[in-house]
Amino acid sequence: MSEMRHKYATYKDSELVVLMKKGTNQESEAAFTEIYDRYGLRINAYCRSILGDRDQAEDIFQETFLRFYQKVRADYKSGSVIGFLITISRNLCLNAKRNAKPTIPIEEFEFVGQEDNTYEQKELSNLIMMALDLIDPMYKEAIVLRSFNDMRYKEIAEILEITEARARYLVYNGKQKIKTVLTPYMKDTYK
């Protein structure tokens, strides 16, 4: 089985999607597993960054891949697989946030994707996550897509259904807003 999985690692996303749609059950499952392996960490990090709740993010993460699988098998049109996955998870996250009652305390929020080795790094991560929570959700989402998911502005624009110029504006101004929030903390920390 590992030889088969290695074989699929060389396939393009579009080839994997075709196998998911038209391949045998074994091929379809192997192609889906390869896509899951390629993008699972990024989708999970995105969900955790947007929601802040590990358990809720895990549920949305799993639901994202379930819906992706169903959509591909039913009527998926060609396009960016990661863009489609982010779009699904974004919609699920927005629905979850809209339906949520209270928010979680900032102390429980984790900075996804960075191994903190020192107290200062942990404090900085906590400050950045706090600042992200304090800015407008549209800025936050654009920054998460750009900084945590390494997406291009064009991809961000497609996912958020805005122009590429607007995506650049949201990322730039979002970073400026984070700097404004963090400035008092940074002055105190680095005197």
Side-chain angles (χ1 to χ4, degrees):
M1 184 70 171
S2 67
E3 184 178 312
M4 179 183 277
R5 287 192 64 201
H6 178 69
K7 169 185 164 185
Y8 290 108
T10 63
Y11 282 36
K12 295 178 184 174
D13 288 352
S14 58
E15 294 170 319
L16 293 171
V17 168
V18 169
L19 277 177
M20 283 179 64
K21 290 175 99 164
K22 299 179 180 178
T24 65
N25 284 342
Q26 187 177 9
E27 290 171 329
S28 179
E29 185 178 316
F32 175 76
T33 300
E34 178 60 32
I35 288 173
Y36 185 91
D37 289 346
R38 281 182 192 176
Y39 301 116
L41 288 175
R42 287 175 68 182
I43 298 300
N44 193 321
Y46 174 80
C47 293
R48 288 178 64 187
S49 295
I50 295 300
L51 295 172
D53 179 301
R54 180 178 293 180
D55 294 331
Q56 186 180 29
E58 184 66 30
D59 291 343
I60 298 294
F61 164 71
Q62 294 299 333
E63 181 70 18
T64 297
F65 277 94
L66 176 64
R67 290 196 184 187
F68 172 76
Y69 183 81
Q70 292 168 339
K71 189 72 172 168
V72 166
R73 298 287 291 194
D75 64 348
Y76 176 72
K77 309 290 187 252
S78 64
S80 166
V81 169
I82 185 62
F84 188 53
L85 286 165
I86 291 280
T87 299
I88 294 169
S89 63
R90 176 182 187 258
N91 291 335
L92 291 170
C93 286
L94 291 175
N95 289 340
K97 285 182 79 112
R98 184 183 62 234
N99 297 333
K101 304 284 188 260
T103 59
I104 64 160
I106 194 79
E107 298 80 32
E108 294 179 23
F109 207 108
E110 279 190 37
F111 186 65
V112 181
Q114 176 176 335
E115 293 183 24
D116 295 323
N117 297 325
T118 66
Y119 175 76
E120 290 82 14
Q121 288 174 325
K122 288 180 185 179
E123 283 300 307
L124 182 58
S125 294
N126 287 336
L127 286 172
I128 291 170
M129 295 313 293
M130 178 194 68
L132 271 173
D133 266 352
L134 294 175
I135 65 173
D136 184 270
M138 192 70 160
Y139 292 115
K140 176 181 179 178
E141 191 164 19
I143 290 171
V144 167
L145 290 171
R146 178 73 177 164
S147 299
F148 298 152
N149 287 294
D150 296 324
M151 298 192 98
R152 296 184 322 261
Y153 290 110
K154 182 177 181 181
E155 294 172 307
I156 295 168
E158 289 171 7
I159 290 167
L160 298 180
E161 297 175 350
I162 58 176
T163 66
E164 191 173 333
R166 177 81 173 143
R168 289 178 186 279
Y169 168 83
L170 290 173
V171 171
Y172 177 78
N173 282 352
K175 288 180 180 179
Q176 296 306 316
K177 290 180 183 300
I178 287 175
K179 285 180 187 176
T180 301
V181 170
L182 291 178
T183 298
Y185 297 101
M186 301 310 279
K187 285 181 183 175
D188 288 344
T189 305
Y190 297 104
K191 282 185 176 180

